[in-house]
Amino acid sequence: QWSATETKAVVSTQSTGKKRALYKRAKVQTKPSVEPAATHKTKQVQGEKNGGTREVPLQRQPRFYPTEDTKKPLNNRRKVKPTKLRSSISPGTVLILLGGAHRGKRVVCLKQLPSGLLLVTGPYKINGVPLRRVDQAYVIATSTKVELPALPDSLTDGLFKRKPKPTKNEKEMFVENTAEDPKISAEKIALQKEVDALVVPAVKSVDMLQSYLRSRFTLTKGQFPHEMKF
């Protein structure tokens, strides 16, 4: 037989609360006393028959109000956090593009830009993929990696910023558009050549990697990407 002390130790806190019927008792919480903010102030009024003082609101109400109710935007307390990079992607990782004009091609990841997008290139000299920004949701990361040298500091999001289109007035609305298509700037072409001069030797240092980047990623009958190891 157990002693009284051993019996008390076996009984759990929950069963003890049931015996004492704590669930029936109302929990009383004492809130800290907060003085309400003042909404009116006392103003001295001249005249014997005016009472001497008068309560005046601190914030005057508008004399006019809109005929239709307008919705007020809710306060957004969310803070913009930097995009988290997948653990399988790092500078030098060979990626497979899943969307865009170059889908199916293999590219080399250069780095992650402040906008959260990935900066990739073919290089252009090997498979024709120029410097592009890609969302990491539209790539497949492979286990192949290249040791990249130090890249130029001018590779930023500002490199891909486009000039705004000029607005048309009423007179120019029905005039045919004779403007030429936007051309690639000489600065961007020179930067592409500079990046290719750094990345191409690193690609050639790995056996069979140059032909691997030139080939497209395709699936045939019976092949499933979720069962593959890239």
Side-chain angles (χ1 to χ4, degrees), residues 93-225:
T93 304
V94 177
L95 308 175
I96 301 172
L97 299 180
L98 300 179
H102 300 281
R103 61 181 175 272
K105 290 186 178 182
R106 296 176 171 90
V107 294
V108 179
C109 175
L110 301 181
K111 64 176 182 178
Q112 186 184 26
L113 297 171
S115 62
L117 300 176
L118 302 177
L119 180 64
V120 300
T121 185
Y124 183 78
K125 193 175 181 180
I126 293 178
N127 56 13
V129 181
L131 290 168
R132 293 180 68 87
R133 292 185 300 178
V134 185
D135 194 331
Q136 59 180 340
Y138 295 97
V139 298
I140 296 176
T142 65
S143 57
T144 308
K145 197 171 181 180
V146 182
E147 292 294 333
L148 295 177
L151 299 173
D153 297 334
S154 55
L155 295 174
T156 58
D157 287 306
L159 180 65
F160 303 93
K161 191 175 182 181
R162 296 182 180 180
K163 295 181 179 179
K165 294 182 179 179
T167 56
K168 294 183 178 181
N169 52 26
E170 294 182 359
K171 293 182 180 180
E172 298 176 351
M173 190 176 296
F174 300 100
V175 179
E176 293 184 3
N177 187 12
T178 57
E180 298 180 357
D181 295 335
K183 296 182 179 179
I184 302 174
S185 62
E187 180 186 359
K188 199 170 184 179
I189 294 175
L191 186 60
Q192 179 69 61
K193 291 181 179 179
E194 183 181 356
V195 173
D196 282 0
L198 296 172
V199 179
V200 170
V203 171
K204 290 182 178 179
S205 63
V206 182
D207 294 336
M208 303 296 291
L209 183 58
Q210 192 171 357
S211 58
Y212 176 70
L213 292 175
R214 282 176 178 164
S215 62
R216 277 182 175 268
F217 172 73
T218 54
L219 291 174
T220 57
K221 187 176 180 180
Q223 290 181 339
F224 306 101

Side-chain angles (χ1 to χ4, degrees), residues 12-31:
S12 64
T13 307
Q14 185 177 5
S15 59
T16 306
K18 288 182 179 180
K19 288 184 178 181
R20 296 176 61 186
L22 296 177
Y23 60 91
K24 293 183 179 180
R25 303 177 187 179
K27 296 182 180 180
V28 180
Q29 295 180 353
T30 57
K31 296 183 179 180

